[in-house]
Amino acid sequence: MTQASHHTGTGSAQTDRLLEMYRRMRRIRRFEERASDLYKVTEIPGFLHLSIGQEASAVGACWPLGPRDGITSTHRGHGHVLAKGLDSASMMAELMGKEAGTCHGRGGSMHIADPGLGIYGANGIVGAGLPIAAGVATAAKLRAAGDVVVAFFGDGAVAQGMFHEAVNLAAVWDLPVVFLCENNHYSEFSPEAEQHRAPLSARAAGYGIEYQHVDGNDVLAVAQTMTGIVARLRAGGGPVLLEAETYRWHGHYEGDPERYRPAEEVAAAKERDPLLVARRRLDAAAADAVDEEIDKEIEAAIDWARSLPEPAPETLHDYVSAPRVPIPEPAPLPADAEIFRSMDAVRLALEHELAADPSVFVAGIDVGAGGNVFGLTRGLAQAFPGRVRDTPISESAVVGTAVGAAMAGMKPVVEIMYMDFIGVCLDMLLNQAAKLRFMTGGRASMPLVVRTQFGAGRSSGSQHSQSLEAILAHIPGLTVVMPSNPADTYGLLRAAIQDPNPVVFVENRLQYGLKGPKPPADHLIPLGKAKVVREGTDITLVSWSRMVQDALAAAELLAGEGISVEVIDLRTISPLDRETVLASLAKTNRLVIAHEAVRDFGVGAELAAMAVDEGFWHLDAPVTRVAPPPVPAPYAPSLERVWLPSRDTIAETLRRIAAV
């Protein structure tokens, strides 16, 4: 039975329903009041944002939701997750930073989640829950089980680009999501009038979706409104923007001096206390009994949480990444193997995984009907209806959708057309995909792939040529893969889609036409493992992506001069295969690194630091990098040729190091 089942019946049943709503609101109120007390005496560390005064919108919104329905929340999210069914004891332990907390003490106040209960995360980034909700709703739509999603946000989030991108995507895809604005009339310290010029009703009209307004302090009104909306969404209706007007009694955060609003305004708002509004319709003795019951529950939760240990220091590395299923290195491909191109490898890998696993779907700008800007996904939308989806030009929504869908049990493969555009959606990689497994203590699963491409050498200019792997590799929790040939592209992409962790898969567009032996359909390559692609004894040369081809050409050139170069293809940038590189260095005693990204602060610098730190006693010469100078990729061919390393510049460096 869902909570919505209580909405009809006799007067007694209606009273019971309101009493249960009051109980849930009282639980939120008392939890927040006691959290405030504990924060003041430093039993709760970090930041604390309380939702006192906003209990009715949380309880009323979650009232018609069942266990499979989802919510996303905000930095002010305690009320939402309590209303959705999370227990107060594990939450209190989480706020105290205890190992037995909801997220094992890794998330704290702003990052509580439990996807098993349909709670896809409170979020410290304003507006970030909205594209994630679109992803959860995408999973619900693909499963066609009638599930719905509620995305809570405050009026301040309306100014975020993520609000626009998420609502627009949900509208275009007709997703079963309610965008519920708890309008408390303040964006942190700024009043609503200083933040927006258009009302939410006008914004909803601009997106072509339904708008409704409700008194957010009246739990019955919110529940009734939401019950109607949820019923329409379960029947196949598209997104709705619901504005619940309410008020927060405390400051933006605990300790906020609140100089931005008069005390009289707060006092007037308290006259519309959601608990008092509900109490006026209840028997006083029954409400008092609930108060006493909840007070005991919260005090018991505090006592239990206080008694618990903090996470042990040796668990520091837990939950960063999910364990990988070991994949053996495949046998060498036969000399008479069929030849195919890197672009064929991408399409065939996607096709194989789409056919093998119904939880896989592909989304991105023009990947469906258009078949991708390079023709890589041509025919897949027709072969897998509904599972190869065109998106608006909204990179944050695209990656956020992948994050939400992954948490909801899907395996999304989304495309960012150019690697340079990673900057547009970096929050969804940096603060969401990479961190959510850790911040939820392993509760959030994140099996997603972001495919993108780069490549200098064809006068694409400074915004379409960048090799940004160092930025991504610096983010704990992300796996970064950069294949150098067609067979590896196929095997690594399939492994990435099957992997339980977020993977950024970076192709080089200048290699889409590169030909090589075609592997068998079951070909897989282990993530996190480099490969010695040419044996040698005098110098170790490490590279990745297209530069591996130049490295092999340089090694062949030097072989004619009597210099034996061992070439290593990293294949995966992060996690870095230190063992393979160090083993080769121990053999050759010299290390050169060649890459297409600019030299300063790059992956080459990390390899050099590793060699000096862990391989120092093997070194007979300086560790040297061959890479572009720290200058944006130039447009003019004459400048680009000087900027970009080549076979000849790599060979020149190898000769110099061999002579040391």
Side-chain angles (χ1 to χ4, degrees), residues 166-242:
V167 176
N168 187 58
L169 177 74
V172 170
W173 282 4
D174 289 317
L175 296 178
V177 57
V178 183
F179 294 103
L180 197 156
C181 178
E182 292 180 301
N183 188 351
N184 60 30
H185 303 287
Y186 281 91
S187 303
E188 299 194 358
F189 306 157
S190 302
E192 181 185 22
E194 295 179 5
Q195 295 284 304
H196 314 290
R197 287 294 179 263
L200 280 173
S201 56
R203 294 177 186 275
Y207 295 114
I209 66 172
E210 181 183 347
Y211 167 83
Q212 290 198 41
H213 180 278
V214 69
D215 179 356
N217 286 354
D218 185 341
V219 69
L220 280 176
V222 178
Q224 182 177 5
T225 301
M226 278 293 294
T227 299
I229 291 172
V230 167
R232 289 198 296 282
L233 264 59
R234 293 202 199 284
V240 175
L241 181 55
L242 175 61

Side-chain angles (χ1 to χ4, degrees), residues 248-327:
R248 60 170 163 86
W249 292 11
H250 283 218
H252 167 57
Y253 58 89
E254 290 303 281
D256 175 2
E258 295 189 72
R259 297 189 181 96
Y260 50 87
R261 62 182 184 180
E264 302 81 46
E265 178 184 300
V266 179
K270 288 182 178 181
E271 294 177 10
R272 286 285 296 160
D273 180 348
L275 274 71
L276 289 179
V277 171
R279 251 187 177 279
R280 292 185 192 116
R281 301 167 178 162
L282 291 170
D283 175 72
D288 288 344
V290 166
D291 291 352
E292 185 178 349
E293 169 199 335
I294 294 299
D295 287 354
K296 289 178 180 176
E297 175 192 319
I298 300 302
E299 292 310 310
I302 293 169
D303 291 343
W304 178 74
R306 278 175 172 152
S307 72
L308 298 170
E310 295 179 330
E314 58 268 24
T315 67
L316 172 65
H317 297 274
D318 291 359
Y319 311 118
V320 177
S321 296
R324 293 198 152 100
V325 176
I327 297 173

Side-chain angles (χ1 to χ4, degrees), residues 173-510:
W173 282 4
D174 289 317
L175 296 178
V177 57
V178 183
F179 294 103
L180 197 156
C181 178
E182 292 180 301
N183 188 351
N184 60 30
H185 303 287
Y186 281 91
S187 303
E188 299 194 358
F189 306 157
S190 302
E192 181 185 22
E194 295 179 5
Q195 295 284 304
H196 314 290
R197 287 294 179 263
L200 280 173
S201 56
R203 294 177 186 275
Y207 295 114
I209 66 172
E210 181 183 347
Y211 167 83
Q212 290 198 41
H213 180 278
V214 69
D215 179 356
N217 286 354
D218 185 341
V219 69
L220 280 176
V222 178
Q224 182 177 5
T225 301
M226 278 293 294
T227 299
I229 291 172
V230 167
R232 289 198 296 282
L233 264 59
R234 293 202 199 284
V240 175
L241 181 55
L242 175 61
E243 182 175 12
E245 283 201 69
T246 182
Y247 197 86
R248 60 170 163 86
W249 292 11
H250 283 218
H252 167 57
Y253 58 89
E254 290 303 281
D256 175 2
E258 295 189 72
R259 297 189 181 96
Y260 50 87
R261 62 182 184 180
E264 302 81 46
E265 178 184 300
V266 179
K270 288 182 178 181
E271 294 177 10
R272 286 285 296 160
D273 180 348
L275 274 71
L276 289 179
V277 171
R279 251 187 177 279
R280 292 185 192 116
R281 301 167 178 162
L282 291 170
D283 175 72
D288 288 344
V290 166
D291 291 352
E292 185 178 349
E293 169 199 335
I294 294 299
D295 287 354
K296 289 178 180 176
E297 175 192 319
I298 300 302
E299 292 310 310
I302 293 169
D303 291 343
W304 178 74
R306 278 175 172 152
S307 72
L308 298 170
E310 295 179 330
E314 58 268 24
T315 67
L316 172 65
H317 297 274
D318 291 359
Y319 311 118
V320 177
S321 296
R324 293 198 152 100
V325 176
I327 297 173
E329 186 69 37
L333 299 177
D336 60 350
E338 181 185 345
I339 300 300
F340 79 149
R341 302 167 299 176
S342 289
M343 63 189 302
D344 303 321
V346 173
R347 187 184 70 257
L348 290 171
L350 292 173
E351 183 177 52
H352 189 289
E353 295 307 307
L354 282 163
D357 188 344
S359 68
V360 174
F361 72 92
V362 175
I365 300 159
D366 295 327
V367 300
N372 164 277
V373 68
F374 300 103
L376 304 181
T377 58
R378 200 166 289 152
L380 292 181
Q382 293 74 29
F384 302 96
R387 292 173 58 205
V388 181
R389 307 175 71 86
D390 283 323
T391 68
I393 303 175
S394 302
E395 285 82 3
S396 288
V398 169
V399 181
T401 294
V403 170
M407 279 200 285
M410 306 297 283
K411 292 181 180 175
V413 183
V414 297
E415 179 180 300
I416 299 300
M417 192 179 287
Y418 283 78
M419 194 180 192
D420 312 72
F421 305 164
I422 287 288
V424 180
C425 58
L426 188 59
D427 174 71
M428 282 295 151
L429 288 169
L430 167 69
N431 284 315
Q432 312 303 328
K435 291 186 173 70
L436 280 172
R437 186 175 197 278
F438 180 79
M439 292 192 304
T440 62
R443 287 182 181 269
S445 181
M446 202 57 61
L448 66 88
V449 176
V450 177
R451 277 188 52 252
T452 190
Q453 57 78 28
F454 78 109
R458 297 284 175 83
S459 291
S460 296
S462 299
Q463 293 182 345
H464 286 75
S465 303
Q466 297 169 91
S467 189
L468 302 173
E469 64 271 19
I471 293 175
L472 300 172
H474 192 67
I475 301 170
L478 282 187
T479 295
V480 183
V481 178
M482 298 181 75
S484 69
N485 62 67
D488 282 6
T489 298
Y490 179 84
L492 287 166
L493 182 52
R494 284 194 60 229
I497 296 170
Q498 294 178 20
D499 197 71
N501 297 294
V503 179
V504 182
F505 191 90
V506 186
E507 301 145 17
N508 189 299
R509 65 177 172 275
L510 273 66

Side-chain angles (χ1 to χ4, degrees), residues 25 63 84 135 222 228 274 285 344 358 404 413 422 434 510 552 573 618 635 658:
M25 290 195 296
W63 185 258
K84 187 61 171 68
V222 178
D344 303 321
V413 183
I422 287 288
L510 273 66
L552 287 167
I573 309 304
H618 297 302
Y635 169 75

